[in-house]
């Protein structure tokens, strides 16, 4: 098969797929990306560069669209050169979120385009307007949100198929394109991401094992979209009830989603300041971003793992925690209900209720039998539904093969 992989931050969601495709020496793979990436043997990487920046005086509602068209043109020019070099992909697999795949069918009209359909925005009903504490008081905000989907709609006309990692994320897309989307998660290697009774983690002076009482909370960045404010507001009650508990918080100071904090501040510090006078800060460990090789051991020592989110894309970290056999307390929001069955694979709580979050966490800390039961069920669910080698990769490879065969002479 001849496959073109398009991702601004390659390999991104294709990190497991690329090695699997390369295991077949007959496959020809080319990757399109904007940013530097690790070299992978057998893979040709083509980098494209934008010829200009976004216009300073462009209307704010279309600034994002202009940026995506600029990137799309850069990828289009690189594709023309690749075509001159003799490369004709059977399948183009693209994450369209940054726009690069918009014009690739103009270069290769017969190629089959599969797009990673991560999320379709709505002016209400999903993430926007979900949290009353952070409502945007702008009458034009619904218009701006609609414009964010221009890129999606332009892809609907040219894409042959889509892939969504969860059923709920698929459900955010409108018909008729929704019917073209297959639900295939990127996959969790549950042979590697698994419980480990002997694991330990060194954090400064703290050597932590499964004998310690550890509550973990993980975000890419600590912000309201992933419930950081609710989690921090639950900590005074948790720490007061559990004098030996330690809190480990993973995540940066920036913003991945949603609004920026007030000038000169971070969401991390804003919500820490709100409760710090009620906390023993020696038991609250902020570790920032950590390498993956340290992240999994952190989940493996976790006594209780907390995961909260707006109705938005589901984080890999939640499924990795399930694969590690963590006892999980999660928000009762749409993305979570697909993986966390209340009182079976975890405990669901009201996203906005710090007391309920605290009470459920304390309950699990007190009940080793329940933790074991929930953790074992969570891991079994992860293996059955999200395992990389037995579920996700086979389905992904079959989909690519299906569309590649349609290109055969």
């Amino acid at each position: 098969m001849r496959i073109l992989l398009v991702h601004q931050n390659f390999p991104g969601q294709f990190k497991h797929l690329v090695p699997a495709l390369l295991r077949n020496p007959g496959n020809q793979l080319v990757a399109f990306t904007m940013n530097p990436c690790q070299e992978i043997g057998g893979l040709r990487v083509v980098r494209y560069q934008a010829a200009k920046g976004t216009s300073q005086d462009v209307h704010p509602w279309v600034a994002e669209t202009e940026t995506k068209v600029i990137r799309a043109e850069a990828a289009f020019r690189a594709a023309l050169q690749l075509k001159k070099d003799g490369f004709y992909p059977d399948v183009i697999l693209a994450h369209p979120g940054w726009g690069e795949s918009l014009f690739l069918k103009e270069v290769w009209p017969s190629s089959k385009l599969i797009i990673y359909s991560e999320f379709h925005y709505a002016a209400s009903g999903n993430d926007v307007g979900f949290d009353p504490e952070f409502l945007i008081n702008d009458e034009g905000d619904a218009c701006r949100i609609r414009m964010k989907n221009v890129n999606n709609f332009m892809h609907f006309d040219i894409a042959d198929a889509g892939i969504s990692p969860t059923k709920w994320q698929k459900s955010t897309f409108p018909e008729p394109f929704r019917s073209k989307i297959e639900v295939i998660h990127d996959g969790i290697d549950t042979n590697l991401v698994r419980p480990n009774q002997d694991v330990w983690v060194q954090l400064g002076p703290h050597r932590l094992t499964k004998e310690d009482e550890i509550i973990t909370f993980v975000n890419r960045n600590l912000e309201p979209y992933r419930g950081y404010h609710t989690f921090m507001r639950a900590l005074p009650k948790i720490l007061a009830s559990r004098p030996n508990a330690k809190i480990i918080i993973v995540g940066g100071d920036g913003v991945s989603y949603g609004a920026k904090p007030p000038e000169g501040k971070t969401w991390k510090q804003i919500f820490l300041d709100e409760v710090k006078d009620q906390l023993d800060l020696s038991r609250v460990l902020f570790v920032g971003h950590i390498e993956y090789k340290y992240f999994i051991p952190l989940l493996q020592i976790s006594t209780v793992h907390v995961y909260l989110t707006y109705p938005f894309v589901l984080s890999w970290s939640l499924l990795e925690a399930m694969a590690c056999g963590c006892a999980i307390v999660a928000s009762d929001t749409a993305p979570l209900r697909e993986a966390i069955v209340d009182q079976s694979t975890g405990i669901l709580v009201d996203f906005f209720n710090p007391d309920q979050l605290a009470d459920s966490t304390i309950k699990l800390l007190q009940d080793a039998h329940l933790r074991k039961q929930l953790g074992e069920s969570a891991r079994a669910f992860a293996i059955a539904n999200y395992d990389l080698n037995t579920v996700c990769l086979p389905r992904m490879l079959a989909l690519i093969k299906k569309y590649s065969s349609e290109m055969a002479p």
Side-chain angles (χ1 to χ4, degrees):
M1 297 184 290
R2 295 161 298 182
I3 303 165
L4 177 66
L5 300 156
V6 184
H7 198 299
Q8 187 186 78
N9 302 305
F10 187 84
Q13 285 88 351
F14 309 143
K15 69 175 183 177
H16 297 308
L17 178 64
V18 171
L21 290 169
L22 288 173
R23 282 196 285 270
N24 185 336
N27 289 339
Q28 298 179 48
L29 267 66
V30 176
F32 264 12
T33 186
M34 177 175 283
N35 297 320
C37 64
Q38 181 181 0
E39 290 188 12
I40 302 173
L43 175 71
R44 180 180 175 185
V45 176
V46 175
R47 290 184 62 198
Y48 47 84
Q49 295 296 319
K52 65 182 291 291
T54 305
S55 306
Q56 291 186 354
D57 59 349
V58 69
H59 192 290
W61 293 352
V62 296
E64 185 174 319
T65 300
E66 186 197 19
T67 300
K68 288 173 180 174
V69 170
I70 290 168
R71 295 182 187 128
E73 183 193 5
F76 169 76
R77 302 293 178 192
L80 289 174
Q81 184 58 54
L82 192 59
K83 183 177 181 180
K84 289 179 183 177
D85 294 342
F87 184 72
Y88 292 79
D90 301 317
V91 171
I92 302 169
L93 179 59
H95 192 310
W98 298 274
E100 286 87 347
S101 46
L102 272 173
F103 307 130
L104 296 183
K105 290 275 275 191
E106 304 301 324
V107 181
W108 296 292
S110 298
S111 298
K112 300 298 182 181
L113 174 61
I114 304 172
I115 59 172
Y116 191 90
S117 305
E118 189 166 22
F119 191 68
H120 192 79
Y121 291 91
S124 63
N126 290 332
D127 56 327
V128 177
F130 172 75
D131 192 337
E133 189 171 345
F134 301 99
L135 293 178
I136 299 174
N137 297 314
D138 181 351
E139 293 177 345
D141 197 52
C143 307
R144 181 186 63 82
I145 296 299
R146 287 192 64 196
M147 290 301 298
K148 286 177 72 68
N149 283 324
V150 167
N151 179 55
N152 278 343
F153 281 113
M154 290 185 69
H155 276 92
F156 294 164
D157 288 338
I158 58 174
D160 297 280
I163 303 164
S164 278
T166 69
K167 294 175 184 177
W168 182 79
Q169 285 169 251
K170 171 182 174 176
S171 76
T172 66
F173 286 81
E175 292 288 9
F177 188 74
R178 187 193 309 160
S179 296
K180 291 186 176 182
I181 298 174
E182 297 260 359
V183 176
I184 307 175
H185 194 269
D186 318 321
I188 305 298
D189 189 343
T190 61
N191 291 321
L192 296 176
V193 184
R194 59 183 303 131
N196 182 353
Q197 295 300 316
D198 301 321
V199 70
W200 57 274
V201 172
Q202 190 75 39
L203 292 177
H206 305 282
R207 188 180 191 275
L208 305 173
T209 72
K210 288 189 71 65
E211 299 302 313
D212 294 292
E213 193 167 278
I214 305 296
I215 301 161
T216 51
F217 182 81
V218 176
N219 290 175
R220 180 183 302 171
N221 282 299
L222 303 174
E223 56 187 326
Y225 250 66
R226 298 304 196 190
Y228 170 69
H229 54 321
T230 301
F231 179 71
M232 293 304 292
R233 289 165 181 168
L235 289 190
K237 189 172 186 179
I238 294 171
L239 291 180
S241 174
R242 306 297 296 179
N244 295 319
K246 289 184 174 63
I247 313 296
I248 301 178
I249 300 175
V250 178
D253 296 345
V255 175
S256 297
Y257 318 107
K260 295 180 180 179
E263 186 70 27
K265 297 184 177 182
T266 66
W267 292 124
K268 170 188 170 182
Q269 197 61 46
I270 288 171
F271 295 111
L272 174 59
D273 288 346
E274 184 180 309
V275 296
K276 66 181 181 181
D277 292 341
Q278 306 170 60
L279 302 177
D280 175 359
L281 292 178
S282 68
R283 295 198 282 145
V284 181
L285 309 177
F286 288 90
V287 298
H289 292 125
I290 59 175
E291 293 182 52
Y292 192 74
K293 63 182 179 180
Y294 303 122
F295 172 62
I296 296 304
L298 200 58
L299 292 177
Q300 290 169 331
I301 66 165
S302 179
T303 313
V304 174
H305 180 72
V306 175
Y307 178 80
L308 311 171
T309 185
Y310 285 12
F312 196 57
V313 298
L314 190 67
S315 303
W316 285 344
S317 65
L318 182 276
L319 301 179
E320 288 164 329
M322 294 177 73
C324 285
C326 290
I328 295 168
V329 179
S331 58
D332 188 9
T333 45
L336 271 303
R337 296 179 198 129
E338 196 167 324
I340 301 297
V341 179
D342 190 35
Q343 306 300 322
S344 175
T345 59
I347 295 177
L348 294 176
V349 298
D350 184 342
F351 179 94
F352 302 106
N353 192 328
D355 279 340
Q356 189 182 16
L357 172 58
D359 291 342
S360 295
T361 302
I362 292 165
K363 176 183 176 181
L364 274 183
L365 292 172
Q366 293 171 337
D367 193 336
H369 175 74
L370 180 59
R371 292 200 307 272
K372 183 174 185 292
Q373 183 180 37
L374 293 179
E376 289 176 351
S377 295
R379 175 165 170 79
F381 191 92
I383 291 172
N385 294 277
Y386 305 108
D387 182 69
L388 175 67
N389 294 302
T390 62
V391 179
C392 301
L393 263 184
R395 294 189 63 203
M396 189 69 216
L397 292 170
L399 183 69
I400 294 173
K401 185 176 181 180
K402 170 189 172 183
Y403 283 96
S404 178
S405 67
E406 293 181 8
M407 284 290 296

